[in-house]
Amino acid sequence: MPGRQNDPTNPTDLTPTRKTLISTEIDYEREGFQTGVLRIPYSHDRSAYGHIPAPVAVLKQGAGPTVLLTGGNHGDEYEGPLALMKLLQRMPTMQIQGRLIVIPALNFPAFLNGSRTSPIDRGNLNRMFPGDRNGSVTAMIAHYVDSELFPRADVVLDLHAGGASFNHMPTLLAALPSDPARRAEYLKLVDAFAAPHTMIMDLLGEDRTYGAAAERHGTLFLCGEFGGFGSCNVEGLAIVEQGLRRVLHATGLTRGDSPPPPRHDTRFIAVEGTRHYLFAPRHGVFEPCFTLGQQVAAGELAGRLFDPHAPWERPRELHFGAAGMVVCARSFAGVAPGDCIALLASPATL
């Protein structure tokens, strides 16, 4: 449906004629398998009328749910993109009932650069929702997802990892709906994915994320962290691949598929506010006294922070503020004030 046209008699009428500046040859309503790109406008010194082509694939067969799968929200996280690239190899021969939209590397400039944020505008896509039609490259991507993809989707999965700065235990992240019927439907998907752990996340009030935006649209949203160090975790990749097959089957999209049985009965854990975060209080070199997956006690020594400019001085000892399991640990030994060093979680009851 064409947008409202500008009034040529009124020079101050600058109403946009298109909802989004990102275009694509993909027709989301067409039956069959399509591949193409999202053309993200990018005018710069060496390409006045250029764009960034971000690959996208769609498979639509008859009536049924729409499932949106994305990876590469951060460009240094690889388990999701690789699992989705492998899924793309199977999509032309898949038999489904509904629509499957797959974008392996959503923040494509960051993915090509192997960095958390975009090398073009330093945008962290997962902190820019709902985005901006007329904003930076990353803001335009967020706006396209929020205005064009979320309204079409019934179920959304966004696949993450710790990236270069973190190592994360393979964990599904969940935000449970308050409505009992939606909650039951949501937990069905959680059980189908069958990650070793499912974590109720506390982002300390952060509401600019992809997940927060998806929830505002009323979609069933799942996320997950499946490795780190800016590498591909073999175990994490297998969990993602098998979990995706089971979730697609549980939604009714791939009723004819026979996905592998779950390897885990997921254990629910929860991040409980700031007491489960360990932050660096100053610059230094951090010596950890814990390992990923370790159970720690409140007040237990977390590590020592050395001052490289005064190495003869006694290091500052940092202690955990609460008990829990270390689910995420910083990769880099060098820290600055405010850097997150570790994240804990405790057993949760639903």
Side-chain angles (χ1 to χ4, degrees):
M1 178 177 176
R4 174 184 167 189
Q5 300 298 310
N6 294 346
D7 180 358
T9 66
N10 181 1
T12 64
D13 183 4
L14 300 178
T15 304
T17 58
R18 289 168 51 194
K19 184 189 297 184
T20 172
L21 290 176
I22 295 177
S23 60
T24 181
E25 66 271 35
I26 293 287
D27 180 353
Y28 293 106
E29 309 308 317
R30 188 202 306 172
E31 293 287 312
F33 178 64
Q34 303 172 71
T35 60
V37 297
L38 304 178
R39 291 187 290 269
I40 308 158
Y42 181 39
S43 177
H44 56 100
D45 291 343
R46 297 185 58 82
S47 186
Y49 301 141
H51 67 268
I52 298 164
V56 57
V58 179
L59 176 62
K60 186 176 187 300
Q61 294 175 352
T66 292
V67 179
L68 170 64
L69 305 178
T70 56
N73 189 322
H74 295 131
D76 58 354
E77 302 171 1
Y78 295 101
E79 292 78 6
L82 285 170
L84 296 182
M85 289 177 189
K86 294 171 78 171
L87 175 62
L88 283 176
Q89 309 304 306
R90 297 193 292 112
M91 280 179 67
T93 60
M94 287 173 61
Q95 298 297 313
I96 69 171
Q97 294 176 288
R99 179 170 51 184
L100 179 60
I101 303 172
V102 178
I103 305 177
L106 191 57
N107 193 344
F108 200 55
F111 184 73
L112 294 181
N113 196 53
S115 56
R116 181 175 180 85
T117 62
S118 172
I120 296 172
D121 56 17
R122 309 316 306 175
N124 179 347
L125 179 57
N126 210 31
R127 300 295 185 275
M128 297 193 76
F129 283 84
D132 184 350
R133 175 192 184 274
N134 303 320
S136 67
V137 165
T138 309
M140 282 192 286
I141 297 171
H143 178 265
Y144 182 85
V145 174
D146 195 71
S147 63
E148 294 289 341
L149 298 182
F150 286 160
R152 290 182 162 93
D154 300 297
V155 176
V156 175
L157 283 87
D158 188 41
L159 302 165
H160 286 253
S165 68
F166 271 134
N167 189 24
H168 208 297
M169 292 178 57
T171 305
L172 195 68
L173 305 185
L176 302 178
S178 56
D179 176 73
R182 295 282 285 175
R183 189 183 183 94
E185 188 179 0
Y186 187 87
L187 289 174
K188 177 183 175 183
L189 301 181
V190 170
D191 290 340
F193 196 97
H197 295 90
T198 297
M199 186 162 71
I200 312 301
M201 189 65 181
D202 183 349
L203 288 175
L204 307 181
E206 179 60 73
D207 62 0
R208 298 170 297 169
T209 65
Y210 181 115
E215 290 166 25
R216 287 193 288 269
H217 282 271
T219 62
L220 294 177
F221 170 73
L222 292 173
C223 185
E225 308 277 2
F226 300 100
F229 293 126
S231 64
C232 179
N233 182 293
V234 174
E235 178 191 3
L237 178 60
I239 290 170
V240 172
E241 288 186 80
Q242 295 178 19
L244 285 177
R245 281 189 63 184
R246 287 190 295 269
V247 166
L248 293 179
H249 185 70
T251 64
L253 192 77
T254 57
R255 295 177 187 176
D257 190 22
S258 298
R263 294 165 46 202
H264 311 94
D265 291 327
T266 195
R267 295 174 54 202
F268 284 90
I269 55 179
V271 177
E272 299 172 354
T274 55
R275 69 196 196 99
H276 269 166
Y277 286 83
L278 177 67
F279 295 106
R282 68 184 189 193
H283 287 90
V285 179
F286 182 73
E287 175 203 359
C289 295
F290 60 87
T291 58
L292 198 65
Q294 180 179 333
Q295 294 286 342
V296 300
E300 183 174 334
L301 179 66
R304 303 174 184 90
L305 190 56
F306 289 82
D307 183 352
H309 298 286
W312 45 82
E313 292 186 359
R314 187 180 183 87
R316 179 169 177 174
E317 293 187 344
L318 304 183
H319 298 82
F320 290 110
M325 177 173 62
V326 180
V327 295
C328 185
R330 182 174 171 82
S331 305
F332 304 139
V335 299
D339 282 342
C340 183
I341 295 173
L343 178 66
L344 307 181
S346 297
T349 55
L350 301 185

